[in-house]
Amino acid sequence: MSISFDREKIIDCMFDPITSEILAELENGKKECSTLSLKFSMSELDVLKRLDYLIKCKFLFKTTENEKCFLSANIEKLGSLLEDSDAFDGAINGLEKMDSYLN
């Protein structure tokens, strides 16, 4: 059974500056939560809270091995969201508009 999700909320999560950096770390494979915690100077719990909606909607996978927490990206699902979404174009347009105001 497919989990329904709020597409706009997923896009907002993905474009959050810290979350997008975490996602970039996960592009190359799974990472231990403690490693992400150290890299981003936040507790493991804070990392998991930040990524909670993405995990719940299966855009990220949370696994436990030898009592250690690991995260990995569902690259296909993340990619298909952006490919199939006008929201991505809207986000790009929004960023371009914001950039024009700043310049």
Side-chain angles (χ1 to χ4, degrees):
M1 181 165 136
S2 180
I3 296 174
S4 63
F5 57 87
D6 180 340
R7 184 178 299 271
E8 189 172 319
K9 187 172 180 177
I10 295 292
I11 297 293
D12 288 345
C13 289
M14 291 173 63
F15 283 99
D16 171 83
I18 295 170
T19 304
S20 65
E21 286 186 51
I22 294 171
L23 291 173
E25 287 291 316
L26 297 175
E27 283 180 355
N28 297 322
K30 74 180 177 180
K31 298 279 192 272
E32 190 173 340
C33 294
S34 62
T35 302
L36 295 170
S37 171
L38 290 172
K39 179 161 181 129
F40 294 100
S41 302
M42 61 178 71
S43 71
E44 286 184 46
L45 184 60
D46 287 339
V47 170
L48 293 171
K49 281 182 183 177
R50 179 173 288 281
L51 302 174
D52 183 61
Y53 193 68
L54 295 171
I55 294 167
K56 178 181 172 188
C57 297
K58 306 288 187 207
F59 284 89
L60 296 177
F61 300 118
K62 177 183 157 196
T63 57
T64 304
E65 299 173 22
N66 298 321
E67 299 183 22
K68 294 180 181 180
C69 171
F70 289 87
L71 292 170
S72 58
N74 184 342
I75 300 296
E76 289 179 22
K77 191 167 183 177
L78 287 166
S80 69
L81 174 78
L82 296 177
E83 289 171 4
D84 298 340
S85 176
D86 292 334
F88 182 70
D89 292 334
I92 295 298
N93 291 338
L95 290 172
E96 288 172 348
K97 188 174 188 179
M98 190 182 330
D99 185 54
S100 70
Y101 286 123
L102 294 173
N103 291 324

